[in-house]
Amino acid sequence: MARSSDESGPEKATVQSPPEAPGHDTTGLDTTGLDSTDERADPLRPADHFDSPVPATRGDGIAQPRLGPIGYVRFFWRQLTSMRTALFLLMLLAVAAIPGSLVPQTSSDPNGVAQYKLDHPALYPFVKDFGLFNTYTTPWFSAVYLLLFISLVGCIIPRTKHHFDALRAAPPKTPARLSRLAGFQSHPLVQDLDGGRAPASAEIAIATARSQLRRSGYRTKVYGDSVSAERGYLRETGNLVFHMALLGVLVTVAIGGGFGYTGQRVVVAGQTFSNVLGSYDSFNPGRWFNDSQLVPYNVKIDNFTVKYEEKIQAALGTPIDYNAKVTTSEPHKASKTQNLRVNDPLEIGGTQVYLLGNGYAVNVTVRDGKGNIALKDSIPFLPQDNNLTSLGVIKVPDAQPTQLGMIGFFYPSAVKSASGALASNYPDDINPELTLDVYSGNLGLNDGVPKSVYTLNTDNLKPVAVTPTAVNPAKAPEKALTLTPGQTATLPNGLGTVQFNGVTRYVSLDVHHDPSQYYVLIFAILIVLGLLTGLFVPRRRVWVKAVQGDDGIRLEYAGLARGEDPTLERAVNDLAKKHLASLGSPVASDRRKVIK
């Protein structure tokens, strides 16, 4: 609505009626639809109202403030440090962590990554390019993590300062009109003086109310004939504890990831694992890791047993329990025998040793063409199905006159199909059988390029004993070797012999060291406690006011909640009943007892 005023002040205000055609004034601005009534003549308008000058507008009629570089920085900083942005980034971080649960991670399961490449050759390049095999170290995950950290810091600092200022401040003054607030009640101070009790004054009524409120946990302040009380600052304390603990989780996880490490090792039953860098099959250190963090200890796998389902036909052969009996030893400590099971890690030397997997290790003895033992070892084979049909590679670089390489399949409970192919129909070693495709030539182990112990490149090798298949059409002087425990096969062309001594169980161990895990647990507990406090502790203010009237003193009660507080009116009602009862004045429902 358009306003006009005279320079001499509001008392000289007049209604302007421009003589020009409707929709135009003397300034040339379009005023169609504008009311020319002077609002200051409105009798309902407060006398102390001040009309701000109308800001200059652009051609479209909208006043646009200008933000300089500092203004834009301040604007984006406030957006980043708002609670809404922090919650959005927290949700985004949870979504960004999902790929870490869907695909194997190089840091914890490098063998799983290799298997994923074999199982999904078309999808593997895309997953690798997006860094999903290292989800938690990718730039996009780190960016969300860092933004959340900055947002929490920028949100917590001003809220903490504001909270401490509010804790030191006195409760606010009593509003002039309590009738506008929730749970308002007004009661005349009616007293039964038959018992010789002295009449209560307004000062006594307010002092009594203050004492009762303080006993109920309120902070109080008397303002004349009223008392103002508030409580529930524990709610904001809980919110701050929640956000600080969340920030603590981010910091401790980052520090733990920098100083922690994970490593994997396959250990055959009867062998010992030592916690030194060279003993790991794969090792993933943190950014600030150094060798001095490796606490020396040994873990010997005494034996490994598996219990299979034998009664339920539909679940026959399903493993129901794994148990590795181990002997641990540390410097200056006595050795201990313990059990290592799935989801029941071994705590030793500041690390947790987890039982990840198991399989069969094939015990073979290979003699070269000169009759010397070129290899005698237990070679772990990787399971390929639920019946533990296993695939493995045997490399004999010390054989003479030429190196030997073998690709083998192990069948724990071998059966022959109608086509003559071997398969395993049960995971336990009831009828073990080993087949080997044998090659000779340079294995390429001295090229300076790391080679996997589970693969063998046969492109430049000569077939010695191979069964031609559609996948491997190589021709050889003899068919693949088929051995049972205790059997020995002679290789053609005087290349030596291969003896199958038997099989031994092996376990796959995952060694995990995280110096921050206990701190993360503490912060996680604080998060839960802070969240519960912030949700269930109400923050409210209540007032008790004594109003002196012609007919005596009236006591007024009211409350105000910050946020949802469904129990506020009940709390005000209970306060009124308790206060009136302490003054000897009956509550409204009992007032008929003193009315004569």
Side-chain angles (χ1 to χ4, degrees), residues 53-126:
V54 179
T57 61
R58 301 191 319 184
D60 55 6
I62 300 176
Q64 295 285 353
R66 295 183 177 274
L67 291 178
I70 297 179
Y72 277 108
V73 171
R74 185 181 293 113
F75 171 77
F76 287 115
W77 173 253
R78 287 178 177 174
Q79 295 301 313
L80 177 61
T81 57
S82 66
M83 186 58 62
R84 181 181 303 174
T85 302
L87 292 175
F88 173 76
L89 289 173
L90 183 61
M91 181 190 69
L92 190 61
L93 186 69
V95 173
I98 291 177
S101 301
L102 299 179
V103 298
Q105 299 296 293
T106 304
S107 59
S108 59
D109 189 11
N111 292 331
V113 176
Q115 188 63 40
Y116 189 92
K117 182 177 181 180
L118 296 176
D119 297 340
H120 308 280
L123 190 60
Y124 176 82
F126 298 98

Side-chain angles (χ1 to χ4, degrees), residues 477-488:
E478 293 186 7
K479 292 184 178 181
L481 306 180
T482 301
L483 301 171
T484 57
Q487 282 189 332
T488 301

Side-chain angles (χ1 to χ4, degrees), residues 124-434:
Y124 176 82
F126 298 98
V127 177
K128 182 180 179 181
D129 291 342
F130 280 103
L132 299 185
F133 294 122
N134 298 280
T135 298
Y136 308 112
T137 57
T138 54
W140 47 269
F141 187 88
S142 301
V144 176
Y145 193 94
L146 184 61
L147 284 175
L148 177 59
F149 181 84
I150 296 174
S151 178
L152 287 174
V153 171
C155 178
I156 288 173
I157 292 177
R159 286 188 63 174
T160 302
K161 181 180 182 301
H162 177 76
H163 182 53
F164 282 124
D165 291 342
L167 288 175
R168 293 195 300 268
K173 291 184 178 181
T174 305
R177 299 185 181 96
L178 292 182
S179 58
R180 297 181 177 181
L181 303 180
F184 171 76
Q185 298 183 26
S186 178
H187 301 278
L189 183 56
V190 179
Q191 295 179 287
D192 185 3
L193 304 179
D194 294 342
R197 177 183 296 186
S201 63
E203 291 80 5
I204 294 176
I206 296 303
T208 303
R210 181 186 185 187
S211 176
Q212 291 178 354
L213 288 169
R214 295 187 67 175
R215 286 197 299 269
S216 298
Y218 285 88
R219 300 167 58 239
T220 61
K221 177 71 174 179
V222 175
Y223 296 99
D225 289 339
S226 67
V227 58
S228 176
E230 64 179 350
R231 75 174 184 183
Y233 278 94
L234 187 61
R235 180 190 187 99
E236 180 63 12
T237 302
N239 289 331
L240 289 174
V241 168
F242 170 81
H243 290 92
M244 289 180 180
L246 183 60
L247 183 64
V249 169
L250 296 178
V251 173
T252 52
V253 167
I255 294 176
F259 289 98
Y261 62 85
T262 59
Q264 293 76 35
R265 172 65 190 268
V266 172
V267 185
V268 179
Q271 296 182 358
T272 300
F273 163 72
S274 298
N275 189 35
V276 294
L277 199 57
S279 295
Y280 287 92
D281 295 329
S282 60
F283 191 79
N284 299 280
R287 185 180 300 273
W288 304 296
F289 168 82
N290 60 72
D291 295 355
S292 62
Q293 292 179 236
L294 293 175
V295 178
Y297 62 80
N298 294 327
V299 177
K300 180 183 178 182
I301 309 299
D302 297 321
N303 61 67
F304 178 75
T305 56
V306 182
K307 184 178 180 181
Y308 296 101
E309 177 59 55
E310 299 178 349
K311 296 180 180 180
I312 303 176
Q313 188 64 30
L316 191 66
T318 302
I320 57 177
D321 184 48
Y322 299 101
N323 182 33
K325 189 174 182 180
V326 302
T327 299
T328 60
S329 58
E330 299 179 76
H332 313 296
K333 293 183 180 180
S335 299
K336 295 189 295 183
T337 300
Q338 304 180 61
N339 291 318
L340 176 61
R341 289 186 169 90
V342 177
N343 297 327
D344 186 14
L346 181 68
E347 302 273 350
I348 182 172
T351 65
Q352 291 77 44
V353 182
Y354 293 88
L355 177 61
L356 284 187
N358 67 93
Y360 288 101
V362 176
N363 302 324
V364 294
T365 300
V366 180
R367 296 180 181 270
D368 60 17
K370 297 183 178 181
N372 299 320
I373 296 178
L375 175 70
K376 185 176 183 180
D377 201 358
S378 297
I379 310 298
F381 277 38
L382 299 179
Q384 303 298 303
D385 57 29
N386 292 333
N387 289 322
L388 295 189
T389 300
S390 304
L391 171 66
V393 171
I394 302 174
K395 298 179 181 180
V396 192
D398 297 329
Q400 296 293 334
T402 181
Q403 295 180 341
L404 298 175
M406 307 174 195
I407 300 176
F409 276 92
F410 173 70
Y411 307 92
S413 297
V415 293
K416 187 172 290 187
S417 63
S419 62
L422 290 175
S424 178
N425 63 358
Y426 196 76
D428 207 358
D429 55 341
I430 297 175
N431 182 33
E433 200 161 327
L434 175 67

